[in-house]
Amino acid sequence: MSVVTRFAPSPTGFLHIGGARTALFNWLFARHHEGSFTLRIEDTDRKRSTDEAIAAIFHGLSWLGLDHDGNAVFQSNNAARHAEVAEQLIVEGKAYRCYCTPEELTEMRENARNSGGSTRIYDGRWRDRDPAEAPDGIAPVVRIKMPLDGETTISDLVQGDVTRANDTLDDFIILRSDGTPTYMLAVVIDDHDMGVTHAIRGDDHLNNAFRQYHLFEACGWDVPHFAHIPLIHGADGAKLSKRHGALGVEHYEELGILPEAMRNYLLRLGWSHGDDEIIPTEQAIAWFELDSVGRSPARFDMDKLLNLNAHYLKETDPEELAAQIVAIAADTPGTTVSPAAKARLSAGLGGLTKRAKTINELIDSSELYLRDAPLAVNDKAAAILGDPEARQTLGALAEELGKITSWTEAELDQIARNFAESKGLKLGQVAQPLRAALTGSNVSPGIFEVMAVLGRDETLTRLEIAVN
């Protein structure tokens, strides 16, 4: 049997972290088994579904690198098929039209509430009743006939065997009074028609699985393997919310998270392989199985994500990183990046990535290499350079630097130390104004590393500007 998984989001908002992890687990499972990963947009709720949300889903999956097989299926296009199956179930005596009034349904809910809620809410009054008895003016819904007694057990690939008493399962609605399908019916038919073999999703769908199981049985179709993944909580153990980072995937892209880092982080939210933390995607495909998914909720920790992203930044090819940064900088209105600046950036990225946790931080710190003199100077650097003694020190140091031809980090370090000693200064009294003049900031990578990357001519040009 060829494995077919599906990711089936509702386009009513952004692609959030939980949905992204569900997509990743489905994608990895399909790729591990050399099967198919399919995408279905569950847009039957036309009032809440939006084009913006659909675009966000496609963009988020693309950014994460989760390619789906074949064309995306839009559930709303299958409404005629859904209605056809419902009608066939009526013909076979497995479903029926229900003509209950709103008042009758309200009374049933009250009765169920008063009885403790341990039994069905719907009392089945139209289950075997003649439609000829229907009152005028009531547009019927269609309900599926559920078993009246016994138990249903689902062998879940994550949760294990889970059992529910059948007397807790209502004859639920599969077709609304306006002829549109409910979620339950649409999901079952589309899973069957798409050949889905494994339904991997959040455990908030576990109760739905018992109803869907019986609908598959009623249709005479194979029931897919269910795998219900525990939800993601915040670092404090509470239900994940916006304050924990439950934002759209595009937020993390805008924050400067690398897609490979996000894939690795989402993988480790509820799945493990020994003590391995850094797991490249190809290795994840080779290792991924559902029996390594835990049964307890995972905890989202922004600090861990940032630390993991910092690792991937350091491991990314410098030329590739430099190209990304230059492309972003070049998109800024009024900004040009010279060939010399590109060369400086490539040479200096090693030092910058040691201190950055996101692409955005890396872009900000790259300014000192991307901009030709004169540089913009922040307030603290301006204050340092506003001191006449500091400028005098820089002028004297520039004269010493102008005499040398070898321009290595080690030699520049030694010259600065010798200069400070000759003037009776501490090294910091030389390095601080030097940093302000060369970077426009009061913080930067090691200043002698910066000087080596800038090169002799650019360093002396920036010092001359600062002194004068």
Side-chain angles (χ1 to χ4, degrees):
M1 177 184 66
S2 178
V3 164
V4 179
T5 66
R6 46 75 160 176
F7 177 51
S10 297
T12 56
F14 50 68
L15 175 59
H16 58 79
I17 285 296
R21 185 190 62 166
T22 297
L24 175 66
F25 281 16
N26 276 278
W27 183 82
L28 286 171
F29 189 77
R31 295 292 176 259
H32 175 80
H33 290 281
E34 299 182 350
S36 297
F37 168 65
T38 60
L39 175 63
R40 183 170 72 235
I41 305 298
E42 298 195 334
D43 59 342
T44 52
D45 187 345
R46 301 305 295 166
K47 291 182 179 178
R48 297 178 60 221
S49 299
T50 67
D51 291 340
E52 292 79 10
I54 293 172
I57 290 168
F58 279 104
H59 178 79
L61 293 175
S62 176
W63 177 71
L64 284 167
L66 305 182
D67 54 314
H68 59 88
D69 298 300
N71 295 326
V73 172
F74 286 81
Q75 195 167 64
S76 60
N77 292 336
N78 298 334
R81 163 72 169 155
H82 301 150
E84 175 189 334
V85 172
E87 292 296 330
Q88 182 61 35
L89 289 172
I90 294 174
V91 170
E92 295 174 1
K94 297 173 182 177
Y96 59 96
R97 290 185 173 86
C98 169
Y99 295 86
C100 283
T101 65
E103 293 76 17
E104 287 176 315
L105 294 172
T106 298
E107 181 183 1
M108 289 180 210
R109 283 191 288 270
E110 289 295 329
N111 291 338
R113 187 179 298 113
N114 293 335
S115 68
S118 60
T119 59
R120 296 181 175 91
I121 294 175
Y122 179 70
D123 62 12
R125 66 182 61 184
W126 282 96
R127 182 179 174 108
D128 297 305
R129 193 170 171 182
D130 188 345
E133 300 177 23
D136 294 335
I138 298 294
V141 298
V142 176
R143 293 180 181 271
I144 186 74
K145 289 184 177 180
M146 296 291 280
L148 297 174
D149 51 28
E151 296 179 331
T152 299
T153 298
I154 289 176
S155 297
D156 193 273
L157 297 178
V158 172
Q159 304 293 335
D161 286 351
V162 186
T163 301
R164 292 284 185 275
N166 289 335
D167 66 5
T168 65
L169 304 175
D170 282 70
D171 287 358
F172 59 91
I173 297 171
I174 59 175
L175 208 63
R176 301 183 185 93
S177 59
D178 63 359
T180 59
T182 61
Y183 165 81
M184 293 293 182
L185 179 67
V187 165
V188 167
I189 295 173
D190 290 345
D191 277 352
H192 169 74
D193 290 355
M194 293 170 69
V196 172
T197 61
H198 293 76
I200 305 169
R201 54 194 182 182
D203 64 6
D204 53 333
H205 285 282
L206 183 55
N207 285 333
N208 292 336
F210 291 93
R211 294 168 174 82
Q212 291 164 5
Y213 174 91
H214 286 289
L215 192 45
F216 274 108
E217 292 277 297
C219 292
W221 298 335
D222 291 337
V223 181
H225 298 284
F226 290 114
H228 290 92
I229 307 162
L231 301 182
I232 302 172
H233 287 181
D236 57 2
K239 184 178 178 180
L240 193 64
S241 64
K242 287 185 178 180
R243 69 184 176 87
H244 296 109
L247 302 168
V249 167
E250 67 272 14
H251 167 78
Y252 300 95
E253 179 184 8
E254 292 167 1
L255 190 65
I257 302 298
L258 295 173
E260 52 267 38
M262 182 57 86
R263 286 196 301 270
N264 192 154
Y265 183 72
L266 291 176
L267 172 67
R268 293 288 291 111
L269 280 179
W271 181 90
S272 62
H273 187 275
D275 295 327
D276 294 283
E277 293 289 340
I278 308 299
I279 306 175
T281 300
E282 289 304 314
Q283 187 62 73
I285 292 172
W287 284 344
F288 190 83
E289 282 289 7
L290 292 170
D291 57 8
S292 294
V293 176
R295 295 186 183 181
S296 300
R299 295 195 177 192
F300 182 87
D301 188 321
M302 191 65 193
D303 289 336
K304 287 186 177 180
L305 173 58
L306 290 173
N307 288 334
L308 187 62
N309 198 61
H311 167 83
Y312 275 92
L313 275 177
K314 295 180 183 70
E315 295 297 313
T316 302
D317 178 69
E319 293 299 321
E320 178 184 335
L321 263 184
Q324 288 185 45
I325 294 169
V326 167
I328 293 170
D331 281 341
T332 304
T335 301
T336 58
V337 181
S338 68
K342 292 179 183 179
R344 290 195 298 265
L345 178 61
S346 295
L349 264 180
L352 298 179
T353 53
K354 293 176 183 177
R355 297 163 178 82
K357 290 188 175 182
T358 69
I359 280 283
N360 292 354
E361 290 179 4
L362 195 56
I363 291 170
D364 289 343
S365 62
S366 296
E367 289 288 317
L368 71 98
Y369 295 135
L370 283 176
R371 307 301 180 199
D372 297 319
L375 292 179
V377 178
N378 69 21
D379 291 343
K380 291 185 178 180
I384 293 169
L385 297 174
D387 182 353
E389 290 187 8
R391 292 203 303 277
Q392 185 177 5
T393 298
L394 287 177
L397 177 59
E399 288 185 18
E400 293 298 315
L401 293 172
K403 298 174 184 177
I404 66 173
T405 54
S406 178
W407 200 266
T408 66
E409 183 178 344
E411 184 166 355
L412 293 167
D413 186 335
Q414 190 59 56
I415 288 173
R417 291 179 186 278
N418 293 341
F419 174 81
E421 185 177 350
S422 71
K423 300 295 183 181
L425 301 172
K426 294 180 179 179
L427 182 60
Q429 291 175 285
V430 174
Q432 189 179 47
L434 189 58
R435 177 174 288 106
L438 297 182
T439 71
S441 174
N442 56 308
V443 293
S444 75
I447 191 57
F448 305 116
E449 173 189 335
V450 170
M451 294 171 69
V453 171
L454 289 176
R456 183 178 186 277
D457 292 344
E458 183 68 19
T459 297
L460 294 177
T461 297
R462 294 187 184 189
L463 286 177
E464 181 181 358
I465 292 171
V467 169
N468 296 322

